[in-house]
Amino acid sequence: MDHLRYSGLSFEAQREAFLAIVAADPLLDETLARVRRLALPDWLVVSGALYNSVWNHLTGKPPGYGIKDVDLFYFDDADLSYEAEDAVIRRAAAHFEGLPLPVEVRNQARVHLWYPQKFGQECPRYASASESVSYFASKTHAVGVRHRPDGALEVVAPFGLDDIFSFRITPNRVMDNQRTHEAKGARAKEYWPEISVVPW
């Protein structure tokens, strides 16, 4: 059970292990360097590209295995128009050209405007990119990384990192996201059979 070697450790020990794995992953290292140069306000690389890379490292799989894309959040409430976000998305597409994985860019200040139509329920108006992470369907997925001004990597993990290191997908019942939790859990188990999915 060597893949569980960080399970149950202190948050500080897990944070160190997490950042070491992220920094050593060639896909993430290049992506984070480019994201930093893009210099979006309150940016955060979140979710699958991070925890999937940790699972790949701990199970001996190659970088990028099972990863669909890189999710990049930013927060800019100065202009909530679709056009403003679309301009950033188009600028980012050119900036990230040539990366092995597509980068999906979303302004978290706008989520409350389109979420009800797409998902059939309201969602709060977020105050930051970090706050939006705490509303993910699974606590395990609520993780983000960004560069601090001094260049060091910072982790945003409102529910800690033990679920990731325990290969356990735990529901986050703050919103009615059962379907998303179950679908993401089922997909993850196909790639990493070591995973357990906690029922909603």
Side-chain angles (χ1 to χ4, degrees):
M1 300 291 276
D2 192 46
H3 65 285
L4 297 175
R5 60 187 175 274
Y6 298 111
S7 175
L9 299 184
S10 69
F11 174 74
E12 195 48 46
Q14 290 179 338
R15 188 181 72 85
E16 276 187 35
F18 182 87
L19 287 177
I21 292 168
V22 166
D25 186 286
L27 288 177
L28 287 178
D29 184 56
E30 169 66 12
T31 302
L32 284 162
R34 286 215 207 177
V35 171
R36 189 182 184 198
R37 292 197 295 273
L38 190 61
L40 294 175
D42 186 19
W43 67 267
L44 203 58
V45 169
V46 301
S47 209
L50 299 173
Y51 57 81
N52 292 166
S53 295
V54 170
W55 293 339
N56 285 339
H57 175 83
L58 292 173
T59 57
K61 293 183 174 67
Y65 173 81
I67 301 175
K68 290 189 297 187
D69 55 27
V70 175
D71 291 304
L72 171 58
F73 287 1
Y74 71 100
F75 188 89
D76 184 359
D77 58 2
D79 184 344
L80 295 183
S81 69
Y82 166 82
E83 289 74 18
E85 182 181 36
D86 190 54
V88 172
I89 290 169
R90 279 186 281 118
R91 180 162 65 92
H95 181 77
F96 294 123
E97 199 172 335
L99 281 180
L101 291 169
V103 180
E104 294 279 331
V105 184
R106 292 292 177 270
N107 183 4
Q108 296 305 289
R110 289 192 72 250
V111 174
H112 65 284
L113 298 176
W114 53 259
Y115 193 97
Q117 190 171 0
K118 184 171 182 181
F119 294 105
Q121 61 175 318
E122 297 296 315
C123 92
R125 184 171 182 159
Y126 303 133
S128 66
S130 298
E131 186 189 9
S132 66
V133 171
S134 64
Y135 285 87
F136 284 0
S138 307
K139 292 180 178 180
T140 318
H141 301 159
V143 63
V145 166
R146 62 178 152 220
H147 284 287
R148 294 198 306 247
D150 66 0
L153 284 177
E154 172 190 358
V155 176
V156 173
F159 306 108
L161 297 166
D162 196 53
D163 280 332
I164 293 175
F165 284 117
S166 299
F167 284 71
R168 179 179 60 232
I169 297 182
T170 303
N172 180 19
R173 300 184 184 89
V174 68
M175 290 172 68
D176 181 17
N177 278 328
Q178 180 174 356
R179 260 192 318 190
T180 302
H181 169 71
E182 290 171 351
K184 284 180 175 283
R187 181 187 181 274
K189 276 185 78 72
E190 289 177 19
Y191 289 91
W192 301 274
E194 299 86 356
I195 282 171
S196 62
V197 180
V198 179
W200 187 269

